[in-house]
Tab-separated table of all heavy atoms in Angstrom:
chain	number	residue	atom	x	y	z
A	11	LYS	N	-5.326	-16.816	-11.647
A	11	LYS	CA	-4.468	-16.827	-12.823
A	11	LYS	C	-3.473	-17.959	-12.724
A	11	LYS	O	-2.720	-18.061	-11.746
A	11	LYS	CB	-3.686	-15.498	-12.937
A	11	LYS	CG	-2.737	-15.472	-14.122
A	11	LYS	CD	-3.491	-15.494	-15.444
A	11	LYS	CE	-2.564	-15.664	-16.621
A	11	LYS	NZ	-3.300	-15.619	-17.900
A	12	ILE	N	-3.555	-18.841	-13.694
A	12	ILE	CA	-2.553	-19.902	-13.807
A	12	ILE	C	-1.849	-19.684	-15.138
A	12	ILE	O	-2.482	-19.719	-16.195
A	12	ILE	CB	-3.212	-21.301	-13.760
A	12	ILE	CG1	-3.999	-21.450	-12.441
A	12	ILE	CG2	-2.168	-22.401	-13.883
A	12	ILE	CD1	-5.016	-22.574	-12.440
A	13	TYR	N	-0.559	-19.368	-15.081
A	13	TYR	CA	0.190	-19.109	-16.314
A	13	TYR	C	0.397	-20.410	-17.084
A	13	TYR	O	0.318	-21.502	-16.493
A	13	TYR	CB	1.531	-18.444	-15.982
A	13	TYR	CG	1.401	-16.955	-15.748
A	13	TYR	CD1	1.549	-16.407	-14.483
A	13	TYR	CD2	1.104	-16.104	-16.810
A	13	TYR	CE1	1.420	-15.035	-14.278
A	13	TYR	CE2	0.973	-14.741	-16.613
A	13	TYR	CZ	1.137	-14.206	-15.352
A	13	TYR	OH	0.996	-12.864	-15.157
A	14	PRO	N	0.645	-20.312	-18.391
A	14	PRO	CA	0.806	-21.516	-19.220
A	14	PRO	C	1.855	-22.496	-18.673
A	14	PRO	O	1.735	-23.704	-18.849
A	14	PRO	CB	1.247	-20.961	-20.581
A	14	PRO	CG	0.684	-19.579	-20.616
A	14	PRO	CD	0.697	-19.083	-19.205
A	15	ASN	N	2.873	-21.986	-17.961
A	15	ASN	CA	3.877	-22.909	-17.396
A	15	ASN	C	3.372	-23.591	-16.118
A	15	ASN	O	4.119	-24.300	-15.459
A	15	ASN	CB	5.187	-22.167	-17.114
A	15	ASN	CG	5.058	-21.147	-15.989
A	15	ASN	OD1	3.976	-20.928	-15.442
A	15	ASN	ND2	6.160	-20.517	-15.642
A	16	GLY	N	2.092	-23.337	-15.760
A	16	GLY	CA	1.513	-24.006	-14.598
A	16	GLY	C	1.603	-23.198	-13.312
A	16	GLY	O	1.039	-23.601	-12.290
A	17	PHE	N	2.285	-22.046	-13.346
A	17	PHE	CA	2.437	-21.263	-12.114
A	17	PHE	C	1.117	-20.569	-11.743
A	17	PHE	O	0.527	-19.860	-12.551
A	17	PHE	CB	3.556	-20.219	-12.281
A	17	PHE	CG	3.832	-19.478	-10.999
A	17	PHE	CD1	4.488	-20.105	-9.956
A	17	PHE	CD2	3.392	-18.170	-10.830
A	17	PHE	CE1	4.715	-19.438	-8.762
A	17	PHE	CE2	3.614	-17.493	-9.638
A	17	PHE	CZ	4.283	-18.132	-8.606
A	18	HIS	N	0.690	-20.810	-10.521
A	18	HIS	CA	-0.582	-20.259	-10.044
A	18	HIS	C	-0.294	-18.913	-9.375
A	18	HIS	O	0.090	-18.869	-8.212
A	18	HIS	CB	-1.218	-21.240	-9.054
A	18	HIS	CG	-2.687	-21.048	-8.876
A	18	HIS	ND1	-3.546	-22.047	-8.526
A	18	HIS	CD2	-3.464	-19.944	-9.010
A	18	HIS	CE1	-4.785	-21.570	-8.445
A	18	HIS	NE2	-4.754	-20.295	-8.730
A	19	ALA	N	-0.465	-17.816	-10.122
A	19	ALA	CA	-0.003	-16.499	-9.656
A	19	ALA	C	-1.044	-15.766	-8.820
A	19	ALA	O	-0.693	-14.973	-7.947
A	19	ALA	CB	0.402	-15.644	-10.849
A	20	VAL	N	-2.333	-16.008	-9.081
A	20	VAL	CA	-3.388	-15.319	-8.315
A	20	VAL	C	-4.434	-16.360	-7.904
A	20	VAL	O	-4.887	-17.157	-8.733
A	20	VAL	CB	-4.048	-14.189	-9.150
A	20	VAL	CG1	-5.187	-13.537	-8.365
A	20	VAL	CG2	-3.019	-13.151	-9.563
A	36	VAL	N	-1.260	-3.522	-3.036
A	36	VAL	CA	0.093	-3.391	-2.505
A	36	VAL	C	0.606	-4.739	-2.035
A	36	VAL	O	-0.172	-5.599	-1.600
A	36	VAL	CB	0.129	-2.325	-1.371
A	36	VAL	CG1	-0.512	-2.826	-0.087
A	36	VAL	CG2	1.542	-1.853	-1.073
A	37	GLY	N	1.913	-4.924	-2.135
A	37	GLY	CA	2.543	-6.169	-1.694
A	37	GLY	C	3.937	-6.225	-2.273
A	37	GLY	O	4.281	-5.415	-3.146
A	38	SER	N	4.742	-7.179	-1.794
A	38	SER	CA	6.116	-7.274	-2.274
A	38	SER	C	6.131	-7.729	-3.724
A	38	SER	O	5.138	-8.274	-4.217
A	38	SER	CB	6.908	-8.274	-1.445
A	38	SER	OG	6.522	-8.177	-0.109
A	39	SER	N	7.270	-7.557	-4.357
A	39	SER	CA	7.431	-7.943	-5.743
A	39	SER	C	7.072	-9.422	-5.930
A	39	SER	O	7.456	-10.255	-5.112
A	39	SER	CB	8.889	-7.683	-6.125
A	39	SER	OG	9.098	-8.126	-7.418
A	40	GLY	N	6.299	-9.724	-6.969
A	40	GLY	CA	5.966	-11.114	-7.276
A	40	GLY	C	4.701	-11.636	-6.602
A	40	GLY	O	4.367	-12.808	-6.738
A	41	CYS	N	3.966	-10.782	-5.893
A	41	CYS	CA	2.793	-11.276	-5.152
A	41	CYS	C	1.525	-11.341	-6.011
A	41	CYS	O	0.484	-11.778	-5.536
A	41	CYS	CB	2.547	-10.427	-3.905
A	41	CYS	SG	1.955	-8.782	-4.273
A	42	GLY	N	1.612	-10.891	-7.272
A	42	GLY	CA	0.468	-11.032	-8.175
A	42	GLY	C	-0.318	-9.753	-8.450
A	42	GLY	O	-1.393	-9.797	-9.058
A	43	LYS	N	0.230	-8.614	-8.063
A	43	LYS	CA	-0.474	-7.334	-8.271
A	43	LYS	C	-0.639	-7.026	-9.763
A	43	LYS	O	-1.750	-6.759	-10.227
A	43	LYS	CB	0.313	-6.162	-7.637
A	43	LYS	CG	0.715	-6.370	-6.205
A	43	LYS	CD	1.527	-5.196	-5.686
A	43	LYS	CE	2.889	-4.987	-6.316
A	43	LYS	NZ	3.918	-5.959	-5.946
A	44	SER	N	0.479	-7.061	-10.505
A	44	SER	CA	0.412	-6.717	-11.930
A	44	SER	C	-0.434	-7.713	-12.694
A	44	SER	O	-1.182	-7.341	-13.596
A	44	SER	CB	1.801	-6.709	-12.563
A	44	SER	OG	2.577	-5.742	-11.963
A	45	THR	N	-0.305	-8.978	-12.326
A	45	THR	CA	-1.088	-10.004	-13.018
A	45	THR	C	-2.580	-9.687	-12.871
A	45	THR	O	-3.340	-9.748	-13.841
A	45	THR	CB	-0.780	-11.397	-12.421
A	45	THR	OG1	0.625	-11.645	-12.570
A	45	THR	CG2	-1.571	-12.489	-13.103
A	46	THR	N	-2.994	-9.336	-11.655
A	46	THR	CA	-4.406	-9.019	-11.417
A	46	THR	C	-4.808	-7.781	-12.224
A	46	THR	O	-5.858	-7.764	-12.872
A	46	THR	CB	-4.655	-8.788	-9.912
A	46	THR	OG1	-4.105	-9.888	-9.182
A	46	THR	CG2	-6.132	-8.661	-9.602
A	47	LEU	N	-3.945	-6.768	-12.208
A	47	LEU	CA	-4.254	-5.545	-12.949
A	47	LEU	C	-4.376	-5.826	-14.448
A	47	LEU	O	-5.273	-5.320	-15.124
A	47	LEU	CB	-3.146	-4.501	-12.702
A	47	LEU	CG	-3.512	-3.080	-13.102
A	47	LEU	CD1	-4.491	-2.498	-12.094
A	47	LEU	CD2	-2.283	-2.193	-13.201
A	48	ARG	N	-3.471	-6.676	-14.941
A	48	ARG	CA	-3.476	-6.976	-16.382
A	48	ARG	C	-4.709	-7.800	-16.770
A	48	ARG	O	-5.211	-7.683	-17.887
A	48	ARG	CB	-2.179	-7.683	-16.776
A	48	ARG	CG	-0.962	-6.735	-16.671
A	48	ARG	CD	0.350	-7.476	-16.788
A	48	ARG	NE	0.471	-8.155	-18.061
A	48	ARG	CZ	0.819	-7.554	-19.193
A	48	ARG	NH1	1.116	-6.279	-19.194
A	48	ARG	NH2	0.873	-8.230	-20.323
A	54	GLU	N	-4.336	-9.905	-20.108
A	54	GLU	CA	-3.977	-11.256	-19.667
A	54	GLU	C	-5.301	-11.970	-19.460
A	54	GLU	O	-6.227	-11.377	-18.910
A	54	GLU	CB	-3.234	-11.101	-18.333
A	54	GLU	CG	-2.373	-12.237	-17.917
A	54	GLU	CD	-1.147	-12.411	-18.798
A	54	GLU	OE1	-0.226	-11.582	-18.756
A	54	GLU	OE2	-1.150	-13.414	-19.533
A	159	ASP	N	0.285	0.955	-13.122
A	159	ASP	CA	1.192	-0.077	-12.612
A	159	ASP	C	2.521	0.550	-12.223
A	159	ASP	O	3.320	0.894	-13.091
A	159	ASP	CB	1.390	-1.158	-13.684
A	159	ASP	CG	2.026	-2.410	-13.109
A	159	ASP	OD1	2.517	-2.364	-11.961
A	159	ASP	OD2	2.037	-3.432	-13.812
A	160	GLU	N	2.758	0.739	-10.938
A	160	GLU	CA	3.991	1.328	-10.406
A	160	GLU	C	4.409	2.570	-11.192
A	160	GLU	O	5.553	2.662	-11.636
A	160	GLU	CB	5.137	0.296	-10.467
A	160	GLU	CG	4.856	-0.996	-9.743
A	160	GLU	CD	5.533	-1.101	-8.376
A	160	GLU	OE1	6.182	-0.128	-7.961
A	160	GLU	OE2	5.371	-2.144	-7.733
A	191	VAL	N	-1.205	0.076	-8.685
A	191	VAL	CA	-0.361	-1.006	-8.160
A	191	VAL	C	0.955	-0.439	-7.649
A	191	VAL	O	1.591	0.363	-8.344
A	191	VAL	CB	-0.079	-2.042	-9.279
A	191	VAL	CG1	1.139	-2.889	-8.954
A	191	VAL	CG2	-1.292	-2.922	-9.513
A	192	THR	N	1.365	-0.833	-6.462
A	192	THR	CA	2.659	-0.385	-5.933
A	192	THR	C	3.182	-1.372	-4.892
A	192	THR	O	2.415	-2.132	-4.312
A	192	THR	CB	2.540	1.018	-5.293
A	192	THR	OG1	3.821	1.417	-4.799
A	192	THR	CG2	1.551	1.050	-4.143
A	193	HIS	N	4.515	-1.358	-4.683
A	193	HIS	CA	5.060	-2.168	-3.581
A	193	HIS	C	5.322	-1.268	-2.379
A	193	HIS	O	5.783	-1.721	-1.345
A	193	HIS	CB	6.364	-2.847	-4.027
A	193	HIS	CG	7.426	-1.852	-4.382
A	193	HIS	ND1	7.533	-1.301	-5.635
A	193	HIS	CD2	8.366	-1.268	-3.627
A	193	HIS	CE1	8.523	-0.427	-5.631
A	193	HIS	NE2	9.050	-0.377	-4.424
A	208	MET	N	-1.624	-7.858	-0.724
A	208	MET	CA	-1.467	-9.199	-1.303
A	208	MET	C	-0.151	-9.841	-0.878
A	208	MET	O	0.832	-9.153	-0.620
A	208	MET	CB	-1.506	-9.119	-2.837
A	208	MET	CG	-2.831	-8.635	-3.387
A	208	MET	SD	-2.824	-8.557	-5.188
A	208	MET	CE	-2.820	-10.307	-5.618
A	211	GLY	N	0.093	-14.279	-4.086
A	211	GLY	CA	-1.087	-14.503	-4.912
A	211	GLY	C	-2.402	-14.499	-4.159
A	211	GLY	O	-3.463	-14.684	-4.756
B	1	ADP	P1	3.875	-8.245	-8.874
B	1	ADP	O1	3.199	-7.314	-9.815
B	1	ADP	O2	3.169	-8.322	-7.547
B	1	ADP	O3	5.334	-7.956	-8.700
B	1	ADP	P2	3.351	-10.243	-10.898
B	1	ADP	O4	1.879	-10.209	-11.019
B	1	ADP	O5	4.140	-9.540	-11.944
B	1	ADP	O6	3.792	-9.730	-9.450
B	1	ADP	O7	3.846	-11.755	-10.845
B	1	ADP	C1	3.278	-12.681	-9.972
B	1	ADP	C2	4.000	-14.007	-10.128
B	1	ADP	O8	3.702	-14.550	-11.397
B	1	ADP	C3	5.513	-13.909	-10.046
B	1	ADP	O9	6.005	-15.004	-9.335
B	1	ADP	C4	5.948	-13.948	-11.495
B	1	ADP	O10	7.231	-14.509	-11.624
B	1	ADP	C5	4.877	-14.848	-12.107
B	1	ADP	N1	4.673	-14.544	-13.539
B	1	ADP	C6	4.442	-13.343	-14.092
B	1	ADP	N2	4.275	-13.432	-15.433
B	1	ADP	C7	4.422	-14.745	-15.730
B	1	ADP	C8	4.365	-15.514	-16.945
B	1	ADP	N3	4.110	-14.936	-18.118
B	1	ADP	N4	4.559	-16.852	-16.844
B	1	ADP	C9	4.798	-17.445	-15.652
B	1	ADP	N5	4.859	-16.792	-14.482
B	1	ADP	C10	4.675	-15.457	-14.513
Side-chain angles (χ1 to χ4, degrees):
K11 178 66 188 183
I12 302 163
Y13 279 109
N15 68 356
F17 185 73
H18 201 152
V20 177
V36 74
S38 322
S39 176
C41 70
K43 309 178 294 288
S44 298
T45 301
T46 309
L47 195 74
R48 291 169 61 80
E54 200 68 70
D159 194 348
E160 303 258 3
V191 160
T192 180
H193 62 274
M208 296 180 71

